[in-house]
Amino acid sequence: MSSSHHTTLFLQILSEVPFGALLLALSTFVIIHSLSQRRRHGLAVWPVLGMLPSLLVGVRGNAYEWVTGVLVRTNGTFTFQGPWLSNLQCVVTANPDNLKYILKTKFANFPKGEYIQGIVRDMLGHGIFSTDGEAWRRHRKRSSLQFHSAELRAAMAKSVIQLTHSRLLPVLESLVDIPFDLQDVLLRLTFDNVCMIALGTDPGCLSLGLPEMPFADAFENMTEAIALRFITPTALWKAMNYLGVGGEGKLKRSLKRADEFAYEVIRRRKAELSSLPGEKSGSDLLAVFLRLKDENGNAFPDKFLRDLCMNFVLAGRDTSSVALAWFFWLLDQNPEVEEEILAEVRRIVEERGYDGNGEGENSLVFRPEEVKRMEYLQAALSEALRLHPSVPVDFKEVTEDEVFPDGTALKKGIKVMYSLYSMGRMESIWGKDCREFRPERWLKEGRFVSEPWCKFPAFNGGPRVCLGKDFAYYQMKFVVASIICRYHVKVVQNHPVVPKLALTAYMKHGLKVILEKR
């Protein structure tokens, strides 16, 4: 029988099948085939749309938990396949060996890249967190010199004491037995602190009555809008930005408010410094950069200083405050840890003769050497950061073909996302109790012992390791100890606690708590 006869017979049979039945059969085949890819690729792969439907479902809930589930199923690394002709192709990993390869071994081959820089540039400009190559090295060198100066370190320690005792504790005292958002209060604290240290200005956000803070609200809106760009096709978010609609419209309005704040601070700081002699012109980072010259011997332009402000606010405001919010939520779930911290704090201050009388509970100020000795508290904070890192995910771009230590092939130009959130929940890294809040895992013979950064990358690692790591720990320990020795922080019953999809791990609904005096 000829092939033409076979074809004619097939078409005759096909013509007798109802169109609806044919469509149903075809749809069933596509669905079964797409879903069958889940075992091989970690997610269903749909024609044309790739894995986008699964992503859209995942981000409606806790997106970080969704990613973690996929990574657990795929042994720590999978390739996300976006829609055809889109730039949403990405390798996602939570493998410590891969992370070390990205951030240290082949550091030069995994820059932020033009794609990621394009996403964050509206907010961060050409600052230290959004640049690569020589521009980044110049930023890093200048900033490192300042962070390691004795003058700035002394100013940081003084600022924490001043803000905690003159603002935080009075505000908390006014809110005893009244439900309030602790995350909001902590954001105000760290915002005031970073503005004083980095910008030489005091916005006064943390004060009785908790006044409106337009710049801080705008900053949070920006981080949320920028995060959405990572899961939106570039052409789409750029079109929305051009039209000023949706999250992009909100981003534009927030950027305007943030820029007004930053340029006003720069203008005012320039005016203040012009009337002061060099030695009294301030140790804040903005003042230092106003005195410095660029590589051509010129003063830095206002746009450079604006980007500096945005980058330091992101580093100093959001990271510590959201870490503390998650920490107090975890304490509420684990009262035995709270008791251990309280016992350690009391033991340390009793050694200097403090017994809760005489000096007065409200006037108790921890000394730097006492804060340093709070080993269990540092372990508990590290455990909180392991489970809830302030930056849940980060991105890089591949400059040439590479192969990860786990064997995953990477094509030049593909994006790489490493999930810090997922790393804290991998049994292969932390054991079967990886989801438990257990500070003891950080202690050896009662002393705090840190883990390698490629296993615990809460402060990044390699050449880009966080310059403010030591101060962040000091600030968090001082604030926690000052609160916990005075109050029990109780989370309001049935308050929903989930992370928001943003550059930093804000709690979507804040942290509603009630303070009980000890």
Side-chain angles (χ1 to χ4, degrees), residues 10 111 120 125 131 146 162 180 193 334 364 386 395 402 493:
F10 174 72
V120 303
T131 51
Q146 305 314 318
Q162 177 186 342
F180 70 97
N193 197 23
N334 299 271
L364 172 62
R386 178 183 72 84
F395 293 83
E402 283 282 3
Q493 192 172 4

Side-chain angles (χ1 to χ4, degrees), residues 98-217:
N98 291 350
L99 188 62
K100 185 177 182 180
Y101 194 80
I102 294 168
L103 297 183
K104 184 179 181 180
T105 308
K106 289 294 187 76
F107 173 74
N109 290 355
F110 292 90
K112 293 288 183 181
E114 184 55 39
Y115 170 76
I116 295 162
Q117 289 173 355
I119 286 178
V120 303
R121 187 166 290 143
D122 287 347
M123 178 180 176
L124 300 178
H126 296 276
I128 191 170
F129 293 124
S130 57
T131 51
D132 292 313
E134 188 57 35
W136 170 78
R137 278 187 284 273
R138 286 196 298 267
H139 275 302
R140 179 79 180 188
K141 183 178 180 181
R142 294 175 187 131
S143 300
S144 181
L145 287 172
Q146 305 314 318
F147 266 92
H148 289 95
S149 72
E151 188 178 17
L152 182 63
R153 286 176 175 269
M156 287 175 168
K158 181 180 179 182
S159 176
V160 171
I161 295 173
Q162 177 186 342
L163 286 172
T164 300
H165 285 271
S166 66
R167 299 189 188 181
L168 176 63
L169 293 178
V171 165
L172 294 182
E173 184 65 21
S174 72
L175 295 170
V176 170
D177 297 328
I178 302 172
F180 70 97
D181 182 359
L182 180 59
Q183 178 177 252
D184 175 59
V185 170
L186 293 168
L187 281 164
R188 291 168 182 272
L189 170 71
T190 54
F191 181 59
D192 279 359
N193 197 23
V194 73
C195 284
M196 292 167 67
I197 292 170
L199 312 183
T201 190
D202 181 4
C205 289
L206 184 60
S207 56
L208 296 175
L210 302 178
E212 292 292 321
M213 44 181 191
F215 171 75
D217 292 339

Side-chain angles (χ1 to χ4, degrees), residues 200-237:
T201 190
D202 181 4
C205 289
L206 184 60
S207 56
L208 296 175
L210 302 178
E212 292 292 321
M213 44 181 191
F215 171 75
D217 292 339
F219 203 85
E220 185 173 339
N221 291 337
M222 288 190 295
T223 65
E224 184 176 0
I226 293 294
L228 288 174
R229 287 181 172 181
F230 283 98
I231 60 172
T232 307
T234 302
L236 179 57
W237 71 253

